[in-house]
Amino acid sequence: MKDINIYVFGDSITYGAGDYELGGWVNRLRLILENDGSEIYYNVFNLGISGEETRETSERFESELRVRYDMYVDNIIIFAIGINDTLDVCGKDEVPLEDFKNNITNLINKAKKYSNKILFIGLTKVNENLVAPLPWNLEKSYFNEKIIKYDNEIEKICLENNIYYLKIFDLLTNDYLIDGLHPNEIGHQKMCDKVLEKIREFIEIQ
């Protein structure tokens, strides 16, 4: 029996918001892996927090990981974080691009101390008709042009650091966004399927 620990850090999409059937793409991933009939025992830890930005993830990363980390098993670290950093607040950046880039780099450097199997999941698009502005906060908006800009930086930093990056910006159309930001059940399943492909690659190269 082989053990694999998978730690998934992220925001409300990681947490599972919008999926009222199976609790989000991370939980769907766990259910598939736990029932795949293989000789591998998976521990999938959902460490998503609603509303979180990259700085906050970086601040809590090591304390969260240490209490779950097992040096005697294979460890896979997944980051699905960054869309909240792209918020536009009254025409200003919630998180300036340079700060965002530093946060992504810090996350990668911290993760490298625990595993060489690190995956960054790219940012999802939004339905601007529903989130520009946000119905619950008219001072804040998400814009796809800005999301693409920040997502490109994630991809660039991952390339520079030899980190796996999974682009999913075009994966979800407006039909798969329940409120313009969060995926619905089908959207979460589509995300799960894409991440599962990459997990399988990690296992094959071990």
Side-chain angles (χ1 to χ4, degrees):
M1 180 70 72
K2 181 184 182 66
D3 286 7
I4 297 179
N5 285 358
I6 302 174
Y7 315 90
V8 189
F9 289 85
D11 46 36
S12 57
I13 297 176
T14 300
Y15 176 76
D19 183 352
Y20 301 107
E21 293 179 354
L22 292 177
W25 69 266
V26 178
N27 195 53
R28 288 170 180 267
L29 179 70
R30 179 181 67 81
L31 293 173
I32 291 172
L33 292 174
E34 287 181 353
N35 295 282
D36 70 352
S38 71
E39 292 298 312
I40 299 175
Y41 181 80
Y42 295 94
N43 290 299
V44 180
F45 300 98
N46 186 337
L47 300 167
I49 295 180
S50 181
E52 185 152 277
E53 299 172 358
T54 52
R55 175 186 57 80
E56 296 163 322
T57 305
S58 181
E59 289 174 350
R60 70 180 173 95
F61 171 76
E62 291 194 88
S63 61
E64 293 268 25
L65 194 66
R66 285 195 194 104
V67 297
R68 299 169 173 86
Y69 182 75
D70 186 345
M71 65 182 296
Y72 299 106
V73 307
D74 289 317
N75 294 280
I76 298 173
I77 299 172
I78 299 176
F79 294 110
I81 189 71
I83 196 165
N84 291 319
D85 296 62
T86 72
L87 269 171
D88 181 277
V89 184
C90 297
K92 296 182 180 180
D93 296 333
E94 172 80 0
V95 179
L97 186 60
E98 286 303 313
D99 291 347
F100 177 76
K101 291 161 61 176
N102 289 335
N103 295 338
I104 297 297
T105 300
N106 287 338
L107 281 171
I108 289 174
N109 290 338
K110 290 177 179 180
K112 281 182 175 180
K113 294 190 291 184
Y114 297 92
S115 177
N116 61 355
K117 298 179 180 68
I118 303 166
L119 170 64
F120 245 104
I121 298 173
L123 305 182
T124 51
K125 69 172 57 175
V126 297
N127 182 349
E128 293 183 5
N129 292 327
L130 299 180
V131 296
L134 295 173
W136 58 89
N137 190 334
L138 299 180
E139 294 182 347
K140 295 184 177 182
S141 299
Y142 290 99
F143 296 109
N144 283 316
E145 183 177 359
K146 188 173 182 182
I147 292 172
I148 292 171
K149 182 179 179 180
Y150 279 58
D151 192 39
N152 286 342
E153 291 299 330
I154 297 176
E155 183 175 14
K156 180 181 177 182
I157 293 169
C158 286
L159 181 62
E160 292 171 348
N161 287 273
N162 197 30
I163 298 296
Y164 291 90
Y165 164 83
L166 181 61
K167 192 174 190 67
I168 61 169
F169 182 81
D170 293 320
L171 181 65
L172 305 181
T173 62
N174 289 346
D175 292 337
Y176 302 122
L177 300 174
I178 195 168
D179 56 3
L181 174 63
H182 301 101
N184 60 17
E185 289 83 0
I186 298 174
H188 275 283
Q189 186 61 53
K190 289 172 73 69
M191 290 185 66
C192 171
D193 292 342
K194 293 296 290 186
V195 177
L196 182 61
E197 292 177 12
K198 188 59 66 173
I199 296 295
R200 300 295 192 201
E201 289 181 26
F202 279 138
I203 295 170
E204 290 174 3
I205 63 177
Q206 290 175 357

